[in-house]
Amino acid sequence: MLKYILQRAALALAVALVVSFATFMLLNYATDPASALAGEDATPEIVEQIRQTYGFDRPVFVRYFEWLGGVARGDFGESYYWNKDVAVLVLERAPVTIALALSALMVTIVIAIPLGAIAALRPNSWADRLALTFAVSAQAIPSFWLGLMLIILLGVMLPILPISGDSSWQHFVMPAFVLGASSVPAVMRLTRTGLIEVMESDYIRTARSKGYRGFALLRRHAMRNALLPVVSVLAVQLGQKFGGSVITESVFAINGLGRLALQSILGSDIPTVQMLIFIFALIFVLMNLLADLLNAALDPRIRIT
Amino acid sequence: MHFLKAITLAALLGTAVVNPAMAGKADDTLRVAFVEEILELDYNYTTKREYIIIADLIDENLFEINPETNAFEPAVATGYEYIDPLTIEVKLRDDVTFHNGQKLTARDVAYTYNWIIDPESESHPGPGHATWLKSAEVVDDYTVRFHLLNDYPLAIRDLATRVSIRPENTYHVDGKVVRNAAALEPVGLGPYRVVSFEPGQELVLERYDGYYSNSPKGDVPIDNIVIRTIPDIGTQQAELMSGGIDWMYNVPLDVAQSVEGLPMVEHLSGPDLRVSFVVLDAAGLTDPDGPLTNRQVRQAMNHAVNKADIAQYLVGGSAEPIHTPCHPAQFGCDTSIQDYPYDPEVGRQLLAEAGYPDGFPLDLWAYRDRSIAEAVAADFEKIGIDVNLRYVQLASLDQARANQEIPAYIGTWGSGGTADTALIANIHFNATTDRNLSGDEKLTELVLAAEATSDQDERRRLYTEALTIIADEAYWVPLVTYSVNYLINSELNFPLNADGLPRLYSASWK
């Protein structure tokens, strides 16, 4: 098991390194960071001053390895855009995004698993069809549109929820729903398929013969096995919530990592983009690893050597 | 039934627990939304427009430019006098205090200007001011002398616009240089002082009770201003409709028009000094024998574009077509120069006479206002030019232009809100700038000469001569002036100014 974890950790590091190199090159070659930082009406003198202040006039490879050396020492550099230590900046923004991602995942679980169960209990019934229609619609709706529709309904017409910002838990209700809704279809269908498959197995027939019916049967016997693949998907979905937060955080003016990523990319803030990409890549790989480990813990039949 | 009950209960609960800070008269707080993040508050270290709007609230200049008359009015200075062509003496008022209660003296002013031009400061106005200002000297408590390196006609304008005055030694803490000392809590002289500031999120300002009387900004009517960053314009619109904010600007025309008629919202459209134009590679930097080196081709392109339609339908509001390479409201922008009326037929004839009866392929670069770029490209195609529109990020365009890879691009320029042709002419026609695709040395001489004299009539004459050359040679295809759309709470009065700079301190409740 330890070997497996070490292998996966090494893989995570390799992925993060490749991604960081590609990002650094793209940001430096696709655009001129000095003029991006200076803004639209900046005079050439100001652009040149910024170029020299931040050392953009030096070879890009030299700067990349300097950055990498800093990272190895735990120094992620200073943000050009925010004039702040990148690590501090990210730590300040992370709690909001973690809260948003976890609430979104809760929304997904609370909606998708019961819907999947209802659909599985009565396959091909009207309830199943309705759940499926809901799932397909949720998948088809772009998150920024859903966000704006919710804002109009719950923020402007009713109005019962705050529209933008992140200063109270109420601010997270709409964004968590928007971010969570996009994962509902995948999780719901997987729950449904898993349950239908499990419900046809021998041990369930035995449980039925003992008198278990309906949700008692699901809860006591079927769920644990049916949810194995769902757990893996949820772990990966949590990783995607961090990436998905870019749009949701912008629509709802939430000051988290997603918005920071967007601002940094638009502002060519290389150190911040580097660190965020590094973190997002790491989260993805770690979530995959977590999914495997969770599966192993939930199912004694799965053993990783 | 249960469902209905649940919904009703949820709504009631929601209303009870949610207490969004409602905008409006009630708490005398003007709530403003910007798309841009505000990262720091010291205008001596920032450039973007939003920072000018904020500096206008927190800081004071020696002089203020009257947006209607373009005249310099005394602000914290009572007046100025040229002791000789290279020495300006400025007298200060004796009743001006910083937000910390400290009195403003000549030492603060001299310190600020000497620091700004010191290369060690790395300040943003530094490189510009260092071209004309040698030093600032304290004469007595309320008198400062500015020693100039050369005769510079825009000195008073520069003293009136770009530098925020700070208390002496602001940037020197315990003998060490601290460039960002005023980034988060600037001590200013303006009508509002900073209460709290979270970079990228929210700035809270309140009226400064010690603000000096009879300032050009007048007594500010509103007690509190809260500026928030809301990156999505649709979300801003929803906040405005639900009473969460009172003021938003740079609203796209279609968004602004979509809420016209709602009782809680008012749509204002004001002028902007920003103009757009097509710059043509007349010098042949990308191709020494290319079609754009031919004057008739450039004139043909000037006849090709239907600017009036672009102004009316794509920019809207108070936008106007222009034929000058400057905003007509700017000093020295002579509108009597040659105009090329919209006439694609004449354009086609000129192209044929120039030896391009079947047109030619052209890479047209652009970085903002895609609809305008597409309209211009379509108009060029109507006279036979095969346009390949390259719509890119600003930084990419800047880079390609620096590498002399751009035969033609659609540029825009806001002149930093300053109504003087110098602000657009120098950066586009000085020989040292990569924006200058004319290759015309005479033009550079004229533009520089207009900045080397304080004789305003002479400056006007020099600009007229320069603009005449630009028009006759058709170095540019001037397009339109911009307008700025605002959406505001209908309970708010918000006067608009000719220079297009929104002055939040002039807002008041109806």
Side-chain angles (χ1 to χ4, degrees), chain A residues 194-195 198 201 203-204 221-230 298-301:
Chain A
L195 271 177
V198 168
S201 58
Y203 81 96
I204 293 292
H221 295 276
M223 269 305 188
R224 190 172 167 127
N225 279 334
L227 286 187
L228 280 177
V230 175
L298 283 172
D299 186 353
R301 289 170 302 179

Short mmCIF file of all heavy atoms in Angstrom, two decimals, chain A residues 194-195 198 201 203-204 221-230 298-301:
data_model
loop_
_atom_site.label_atom_id
_atom_site.label_comp_id
_atom_site.label_asym_id
_atom_site.label_seq_id
_atom_site.Cartn_x
_atom_site.Cartn_y
_atom_site.Cartn_z
N GLY A 194 -25.90 1.34 -10.47
CA GLY A 194 -25.30 0.49 -9.44
C GLY A 194 -26.37 -0.24 -8.65
O GLY A 194 -26.28 -1.45 -8.42
N LEU A 195 -27.42 0.49 -8.28
CA LEU A 195 -28.49 -0.11 -7.47
C LEU A 195 -29.26 -1.17 -8.25
O LEU A 195 -29.54 -2.26 -7.73
CB LEU A 195 -29.44 0.98 -6.99
CG LEU A 195 -29.07 1.64 -5.65
CD1 LEU A 195 -30.05 2.75 -5.33
CD2 LEU A 195 -29.08 0.60 -4.53
N VAL A 198 -27.18 -4.24 -8.33
CA VAL A 198 -27.11 -4.90 -7.02
C VAL A 198 -28.45 -5.56 -6.68
O VAL A 198 -28.50 -6.67 -6.13
CB VAL A 198 -26.70 -3.88 -5.93
CG1 VAL A 198 -26.90 -4.45 -4.54
CG2 VAL A 198 -25.26 -3.46 -6.12
N SER A 201 -28.93 -9.09 -7.57
CA SER A 201 -27.99 -10.10 -7.09
C SER A 201 -28.66 -11.04 -6.08
O SER A 201 -29.72 -10.74 -5.53
CB SER A 201 -26.76 -9.44 -6.48
OG SER A 201 -27.18 -8.61 -5.44
N TYR A 203 -27.85 -12.02 -3.00
CA TYR A 203 -28.00 -11.70 -1.58
C TYR A 203 -29.19 -10.77 -1.33
O TYR A 203 -29.79 -10.75 -0.26
CB TYR A 203 -26.70 -11.16 -0.98
CG TYR A 203 -26.40 -9.70 -1.23
CD1 TYR A 203 -26.74 -8.74 -0.26
CD2 TYR A 203 -25.78 -9.28 -2.39
CE1 TYR A 203 -26.45 -7.41 -0.47
CE2 TYR A 203 -25.49 -7.96 -2.61
CZ TYR A 203 -25.82 -7.01 -1.64
OH TYR A 203 -25.54 -5.70 -1.84
N ILE A 204 -29.55 -10.00 -2.34
CA ILE A 204 -30.71 -9.14 -2.20
C ILE A 204 -31.99 -9.98 -2.24
O ILE A 204 -32.95 -9.74 -1.49
CB ILE A 204 -30.73 -8.07 -3.33
CG1 ILE A 204 -29.56 -7.11 -3.14
CG2 ILE A 204 -32.05 -7.31 -3.35
CD1 ILE A 204 -29.65 -6.20 -1.93
N HIS A 221 -29.01 -3.14 2.89
CA HIS A 221 -28.28 -4.15 2.11
C HIS A 221 -27.68 -3.63 0.80
O HIS A 221 -26.54 -3.94 0.48
CB HIS A 221 -29.19 -5.34 1.81
CG HIS A 221 -29.60 -6.07 3.04
ND1 HIS A 221 -28.82 -7.03 3.62
CD2 HIS A 221 -30.70 -5.94 3.82
CE1 HIS A 221 -29.42 -7.47 4.72
NE2 HIS A 221 -30.57 -6.82 4.86
N ALA A 222 -28.45 -2.90 0.04
CA ALA A 222 -28.04 -2.61 -1.34
C ALA A 222 -27.05 -1.44 -1.45
O ALA A 222 -26.11 -1.48 -2.25
CB ALA A 222 -29.27 -2.33 -2.19
N MET A 223 -27.26 -0.38 -0.64
CA MET A 223 -26.52 0.87 -0.83
C MET A 223 -25.00 0.70 -0.79
O MET A 223 -24.29 1.22 -1.64
CB MET A 223 -26.93 1.89 0.23
CG MET A 223 -28.07 2.78 -0.16
SD MET A 223 -27.79 3.65 -1.69
CE MET A 223 -29.18 4.74 -1.71
N ARG A 224 -24.51 -0.02 0.21
CA ARG A 224 -23.06 -0.08 0.42
C ARG A 224 -22.33 -0.57 -0.83
O ARG A 224 -21.34 0.02 -1.25
CB ARG A 224 -22.76 -1.00 1.60
CG ARG A 224 -21.32 -0.91 2.03
CD ARG A 224 -21.11 -1.68 3.31
NE ARG A 224 -19.70 -1.84 3.55
CZ ARG A 224 -19.09 -1.49 4.67
NH1 ARG A 224 -19.78 -0.98 5.65
NH2 ARG A 224 -17.80 -1.69 4.83
N ASN A 225 -22.87 -1.60 -1.45
CA ASN A 225 -22.23 -2.11 -2.66
C ASN A 225 -22.46 -1.19 -3.86
O ASN A 225 -21.56 -0.96 -4.66
CB ASN A 225 -22.77 -3.51 -2.99
CG ASN A 225 -22.07 -4.56 -2.16
OD1 ASN A 225 -20.93 -4.34 -1.73
ND2 ASN A 225 -22.73 -5.66 -1.91
N ALA A 226 -23.69 -0.68 -3.94
CA ALA A 226 -24.02 0.15 -5.11
C ALA A 226 -23.24 1.45 -5.10
O ALA A 226 -22.97 2.02 -6.16
CB ALA A 226 -25.52 0.43 -5.12
N LEU A 227 -22.87 1.93 -3.91
CA LEU A 227 -22.23 3.24 -3.84
C LEU A 227 -20.72 3.22 -4.08
O LEU A 227 -20.10 4.28 -4.13
CB LEU A 227 -22.53 3.90 -2.48
CG LEU A 227 -23.95 4.43 -2.31
CD1 LEU A 227 -24.08 5.21 -1.02
CD2 LEU A 227 -24.35 5.33 -3.49
N LEU A 228 -20.15 2.02 -4.22
CA LEU A 228 -18.69 1.96 -4.43
C LEU A 228 -18.22 2.82 -5.60
O LEU A 228 -17.36 3.68 -5.44
CB LEU A 228 -18.26 0.50 -4.64
CG LEU A 228 -18.11 -0.30 -3.35
CD1 LEU A 228 -17.75 -1.74 -3.68
CD2 LEU A 228 -17.05 0.31 -2.46
N PRO A 229 -18.80 2.61 -6.80
CA PRO A 229 -18.34 3.46 -7.91
C PRO A 229 -18.70 4.92 -7.69
O PRO A 229 -17.98 5.81 -8.14
CB PRO A 229 -19.08 2.90 -9.13
CG PRO A 229 -20.22 2.10 -8.58
CD PRO A 229 -19.80 1.62 -7.23
N VAL A 230 -19.80 5.18 -6.96
CA VAL A 230 -20.22 6.57 -6.73
C VAL A 230 -19.17 7.31 -5.92
O VAL A 230 -18.87 8.48 -6.17
CB VAL A 230 -21.59 6.59 -6.01
CG1 VAL A 230 -21.98 8.02 -5.65
CG2 VAL A 230 -22.65 5.95 -6.88
N LEU A 298 -13.87 0.71 1.70
CA LEU A 298 -15.29 0.35 1.72
C LEU A 298 -15.52 -1.11 1.31
O LEU A 298 -16.47 -1.73 1.74
CB LEU A 298 -16.07 1.27 0.77
CG LEU A 298 -16.36 2.67 1.28
CD1 LEU A 298 -16.96 3.52 0.18
CD2 LEU A 298 -17.30 2.62 2.48
N ASP A 299 -14.67 -1.60 0.46
CA ASP A 299 -14.88 -2.95 -0.08
C ASP A 299 -13.71 -3.85 0.25
O ASP A 299 -12.64 -3.73 -0.36
CB ASP A 299 -15.06 -2.86 -1.60
CG ASP A 299 -15.44 -4.21 -2.16
OD1 ASP A 299 -15.42 -5.21 -1.39
OD2 ASP A 299 -15.74 -4.27 -3.36
N PRO A 300 -13.88 -4.75 1.20
CA PRO A 300 -12.78 -5.63 1.59
C PRO A 300 -12.29 -6.51 0.44
O PRO A 300 -11.18 -7.05 0.51
CB PRO A 300 -13.38 -6.47 2.71
CG PRO A 300 -14.65 -5.83 3.08
CD PRO A 300 -15.12 -5.05 1.91
N ARG A 301 -13.12 -6.64 -0.61
CA ARG A 301 -12.69 -7.49 -1.72
C ARG A 301 -11.58 -6.83 -2.54
O ARG A 301 -10.84 -7.49 -3.23
CB ARG A 301 -13.87 -7.82 -2.64
CG ARG A 301 -14.87 -8.77 -2.00
CD ARG A 301 -16.11 -8.85 -2.84
NE ARG A 301 -16.72 -7.53 -3.02
CZ ARG A 301 -17.81 -7.33 -3.75
NH1 ARG A 301 -18.36 -8.33 -4.41
NH2 ARG A 301 -18.33 -6.14 -3.86
#
